Amino acid sequence: MDTFVFFAAAAIAISASILVITQRNPISSVMYLVTSFVAQVILFIKLSAAFLAMLQIIVYAGAIMVLFLFVIMLLNLRREEYGKDIKMRYKPIAVAFAIVLLLEVVVIVNGSELAHRAQASLPADFGSVKAVGVELFTHYLYPFELTSVLLIVAVLGAVVMAKRSL
Amino acid sequence: MVPIEWYLIVAGTIFTIGMIGVIIARNVMIIFMSVELMLNAANLAIVAFSRELAVMGGQIMVFVVMTVAAAEAAVGLAIILALFRVRDTDSANIDHVNLLKW
């Protein structure tokens, strides 16, 4: 059952990802991207990261993807403006890079010691809201404050970029 | 219990798909979505390692990556909006964007 859930989620995530890059219409792309994210949420839960799984649904599949949809609908592209979306000239390059990358992943995963090491024992509340929160506000307080600065800079940047005249 | 290698291979595959998307897609929005796919694949790998090594820091790292992704989406979409305002037709094709300033 465990393995079945993993394979189902992985298959959905990978096939939805492939559909994202092969759609002509960006709106269907966004929908497949959300599907892929939700499938990855299942993998997150199986990796005992419950808080991150909820964050993934709310922030990624919710907020960021809605932002994408807003912009696509705001641009109001007509069908002929979608254009030729796949460029044949770049296909061989992409395939070559993909083969090299996948080979690298397989070689590194095979050659690593991961398979031989005993799995570390997990505390019962690993990945819960409380555990992540305690870690975030004690150990990683400084990086956490920096992320708020990053968000402010991003908001200012977006306003400056999107405004007609400052 | 599913071994961590399988998760890493799934993450690698999704990352590769995102990379192919960035190379072959010509639509600005689809290229941008491929970048999001790659960020997410990296997140999956980090969570897998965090689970395997029983280290909480990995999950904090994913938290930060999500913040970066949100900031990147806001700024990137603002750039795309500005692009469409300057060049009025067919700017969804990335090949038509070849000037730093118009």
Side-chain angles (χ1 to χ4, degrees):
Chain A
M1 188 60 200
D2 207 35
T3 322
F4 172 75
V5 173
F6 170 81
F7 275 116
I12 293 172
I14 290 174
S15 44
S17 308
I18 293 173
L19 285 169
V20 167
I21 63 170
T22 48
Q23 293 302 305
R24 285 185 70 84
N25 189 335
I27 292 188
S28 1
S29 265
V30 171
M31 291 308 166
Y32 284 121
L33 196 55
V34 171
T35 314
S36 174
F37 285 168
V38 171
Q40 285 184 47
V41 165
I42 299 172
L43 297 180
F44 276 25
I45 292 174
K46 284 183 65 58
L47 287 166
S48 46
F51 176 59
L52 285 182
M54 290 307 117
L55 215 60
Q56 170 101 349
I57 285 191
I58 295 170
V59 175
Y60 248 121
I64 298 183
M65 288 303 115
V66 169
L67 197 64
F68 270 80
L69 275 183
F70 272 165
V71 170
I72 291 172
M73 290 174 175
L74 198 65
L75 295 178
N76 197 14
L77 293 176
R78 286 186 302 280
R79 184 151 286 280
E80 62 268 27
E81 287 178 7
Y82 294 151
K84 282 205 294 286
D85 30 47
I86 288 178
K87 193 150 199 177
M88 290 302 153
R89 185 150 54 91
Y90 290 136
K91 249 188 181 167
I93 306 174
V95 169
F97 271 127
I99 290 172
V100 170
L101 240 178
L102 277 180
L103 273 182
E104 262 179 54
V105 170
V106 169
V107 166
I108 289 173
V109 167
N110 265 339
S112 71
E113 299 164 350
L114 283 170
H116 311 300
R117 65 190 298 281
Q119 200 161 41
S121 64
L122 224 52
D125 65 340
F126 188 78
S128 69
V129 181
K130 188 182 172 192
V132 176
V134 167
E135 192 83 353
L136 196 59
F137 289 110
T138 55
H139 222 107
Y140 296 94
L141 185 60
Y142 182 58
F144 176 70
E145 296 294 341
L146 282 183
T147 57
S148 56
V149 177
L150 174 72
L151 282 178
I152 290 177
V153 172
V155 168
L156 286 179
V159 170
V160 169
M161 209 74 79
K163 230 170 137 49
R164 248 169 250 272
S165 61
L166 217 50
Chain B
M1 191 57 217
V2 182
I4 182 189
E5 292 92 330
W6 295 3
Y7 286 101
L8 294 182
I9 287 177
V10 172
T13 312
I14 295 177
F15 189 91
T16 311
I17 293 168
M19 190 209 63
I20 294 175
V22 170
I23 295 177
I24 67 171
R26 294 296 94 199
N27 189 316
V28 188
M29 296 306 294
I30 292 180
I31 290 179
F32 207 20
M33 282 178 234
S34 303
V35 174
E36 295 288 333
L37 265 184
M38 290 161 85
L39 276 172
N40 236 289
N43 272 356
L44 182 59
I46 295 172
V47 172
F49 277 120
S50 150
R51 164 75 180 77
E52 180 73 12
L53 305 173
V55 179
M56 210 53 177
Q59 302 205 356
I60 308 294
M61 196 163 162
V62 172
F63 182 83
V64 175
V65 171
M66 279 183 188
T67 320
V68 171
E72 174 237 348
V75 176
L77 291 173
I79 291 177
I80 291 176
L81 276 184
L83 200 68
F84 268 78
R85 188 169 301 140
V86 175
R87 312 278 321 267
D88 29 32
T89 51
D90 206 16
S91 299
N93 192 329
I94 199 75
D95 286 338
H96 295 190
V97 185
N98 48 11
L99 297 171
L100 280 178
K101 189 167 173 144
W102 185 250

